[in-house]
Amino acid sequence: MDLPTLADNLPLPDGYRTEIIDGSLVVSPTPSYRHARIIRLCERMLERDGPEGLEALQWVTVEISQDGDRFVPDLAVFPTAVVDGEGWEGPDWLRAAEDLELAVEVVSPSSALHDWKAKTKGYARAGVPFYLVIDPRKSEIALFSEPESGTYQTVERAVPGASVHLGAPFDLDIEAAALLQ
């Protein structure tokens, strides 16, 4: 049985989800309330200050077409047409990571290695323009941008009192303190 089929049919206890990361099946617990709050704050900021024509969604699955890895970003920002499935031939619960404008992950003890390493590489391979990592344990945020040849060329980091700049089409500053409260 292949990994996508196994992931789709794996019986899981309540509160768990599956992802395919670096060719391995990863089962994770659902997030804490602090984690959920950080994502909601980020979502509100994007709704308030972000451009028209993009939608921020939680709990959606994206596939890295180059290797078949499947991630469930904490927040995925897509053009509305992608959310609506225009031109999409696959299942309704899946979209191509290549169509993301921004992926956001909030680091938890169980996700740190994947969020900082494997997902950074995967989103860069897919050419996702921006990848925002919010790490409450380190009290920092990191914005990866300019993917080229499977690697992000730029990383901006900020701690409370500083911010990172999310470029076009967003063109907004993200203050670390606003997300790490």
Side-chain angles (χ1 to χ4, degrees):
M1 180 180 298
D2 64 15
L3 281 179
T5 302
L6 179 61
D8 294 345
N9 294 293
L10 190 65
L12 295 175
D14 286 344
Y16 282 80
R17 61 184 176 169
T18 61
E19 297 178 272
I20 300 171
I21 301 174
D22 280 342
S24 296
L25 190 63
V26 177
V27 178
S28 307
T30 55
S32 68
Y33 277 82
R34 180 174 189 205
H35 185 283
R37 174 188 249 173
I38 291 169
I39 289 301
R40 184 64 185 129
L41 291 168
C42 190
E43 188 176 30
R44 283 182 183 158
M45 175 193 61
L46 290 168
E47 286 174 0
R48 182 185 65 235
D49 301 325
E52 294 290 320
L54 296 178
E55 293 193 36
L57 303 173
Q58 297 181 38
W59 293 98
V60 295
T61 304
V62 298
E63 185 171 64
I64 313 296
S65 65
Q66 293 88 337
D67 54 27
D69 278 358
R70 289 183 181 173
F71 300 164
V72 180
D74 291 319
L75 195 64
V77 180
F78 287 104
T80 300
V82 172
V83 173
D84 291 342
E86 290 180 22
W88 178 247
E89 299 295 324
D92 190 45
W93 55 269
L94 183 68
R95 293 292 186 269
E98 291 80 359
D99 291 331
L100 280 166
E101 291 292 332
L102 167 68
V104 179
E105 298 286 359
V106 177
V107 178
S108 63
S110 66
S111 73
L113 182 62
H114 295 305
D115 291 344
W116 281 111
K117 302 287 184 188
K119 289 187 177 185
T120 302
K121 291 176 185 176
Y123 289 129
R125 276 193 315 275
V128 176
F130 298 103
Y131 174 44
L132 179 64
V133 178
I134 304 166
D135 195 335
R137 302 166 321 126
K138 293 182 177 181
S139 284
E140 79 168 334
I141 63 175
L143 179 64
F144 295 84
S145 61
E146 299 179 35
E148 185 179 305
S149 301
T151 304
Y152 283 109
Q153 304 303 304
T154 303
V155 182
E156 289 182 73
R157 296 177 185 272
V159 296
S163 62
V164 297
H165 182 74
L166 188 57
F170 301 94
D171 196 30
L172 62 100
D173 292 323
I174 301 172
E175 295 180 21
L179 298 177
L180 295 169
Q181 41 178 302

